[in-house]
Amino acid sequence: MKAKSIFVPPPEYTEASPLPTLRSAMRLYMLVLIVSAAVIVELEYSIDIAFLRLLAAIFVFGGFTVAAVLLTGSQLGAIMGRRPTIAMLLISFAVGLTVFAPMTWMLLLISNTLGGLLGNLPPPLSSNANFYQQMIMFGVIIPLCQGFLFFGYLFAAAQGLATAGGRGRWRSVGLIVILFGLFGLFTAGFGLAAIPAYMILGLVGALL
């Protein structure tokens, strides 16, 4: 009878994934959601709303995401993906302009309908920012910070759901759509009316 060897071979070395895990991404999402809701809901009636959302975008959306990248050891290049071409940037910009008008119309329609049925939310403190300042804040800085969180970190972590075949990719896209839709509930200023519009925007962003 042959004696069993007590030698146990060492486990094979596997290189750590450069992408964040889905667990870390969900923790980041919950932290950002809770902090954003607490800050915006608490202060929107006492601080310039445009300035408040700009601070939330920079320090909560962007800052927390940068901290998560550093803490998890994820590679920023892997999260951001390939560098977009000029043509892709132009296409993305054109798509953004195309969906802006119908999404705004749908958002206001749902908001007015819910306001008539349930009552309107009290308006936040108005902003003193001029048109060009608001264009930079809401058209550039805030979307970039939100995109880094959702279509960068969270979408990269959701790639683990994308198994072989097209159905796996749609799981990743579906997760981002749901998370982005719920995110609009607390950060857009329209309450429940923001969820459908944000879900569509999440779908467009995830597919691009």
Side-chain angles (χ1 to χ4, degrees):
M1 180 177 180
K2 186 176 180 181
K4 294 183 179 180
S5 173
I6 61 173
F7 173 74
V8 178
E12 295 183 0
Y13 171 76
T14 56
E15 185 178 356
S17 172
L19 298 177
T21 64
L22 187 57
R23 177 177 296 180
S24 72
M26 293 306 300
R27 288 174 177 171
L28 172 64
Y29 175 78
M30 292 304 301
L31 180 62
V32 168
L33 191 66
I34 293 172
V35 174
S36 300
V39 170
I40 294 178
V41 172
E42 181 68 24
L43 299 177
E44 65 179 348
Y45 300 108
S46 56
I47 297 179
D48 184 306
I49 188 60
F51 182 65
L52 177 61
R53 288 178 180 160
L54 177 65
L55 292 180
I58 294 174
F59 293 105
V60 181
F61 311 159
F64 283 20
T65 307
V66 171
V69 172
L70 297 175
L71 290 174
T72 59
S74 304
Q75 295 181 12
L76 187 60
I79 291 175
M80 302 306 294
R82 294 180 299 178
R83 180 179 299 178
T85 62
I86 299 297
M88 191 62 192
L89 290 175
L90 292 175
I91 292 174
S92 300
F93 182 72
V95 171
L97 290 178
T98 302
V99 301
F100 176 77
M103 288 303 97
T104 302
W105 174 81
M106 183 179 71
L107 180 62
L108 295 176
L109 176 64
I110 297 175
S111 178
N112 292 332
T113 302
L114 290 177
L117 295 174
L118 306 175
N120 292 313
L121 293 171
L125 190 67
S126 60
S127 175
N128 294 322
N130 60 40
F131 174 78
Y132 297 103
Q133 290 172 333
Q134 294 202 36
M135 283 293 293
I136 294 174
M137 287 188 288
F138 292 101
V140 179
I141 299 176
I142 295 177
L144 285 176
C145 293
Q146 290 180 345
F148 183 36
L149 169 62
F150 282 93
F151 311 117
Y153 194 94
L154 292 176
F155 192 67
Q159 295 306 303
L161 299 175
T163 54
R167 182 177 299 179
R169 171 173 170 76
W170 283 107
R171 293 194 189 101
S172 304
V173 172
L175 178 63
I176 297 301
V177 168
I178 294 173
L179 296 181
F180 200 62
L182 294 176
F183 183 72
L185 177 64
F186 301 102
T187 60
F190 289 91
L192 292 171
I195 294 180
Y198 265 62
M199 291 183 71
I200 295 177
L201 292 175
L203 175 62
V204 174
L207 293 178
L208 289 177

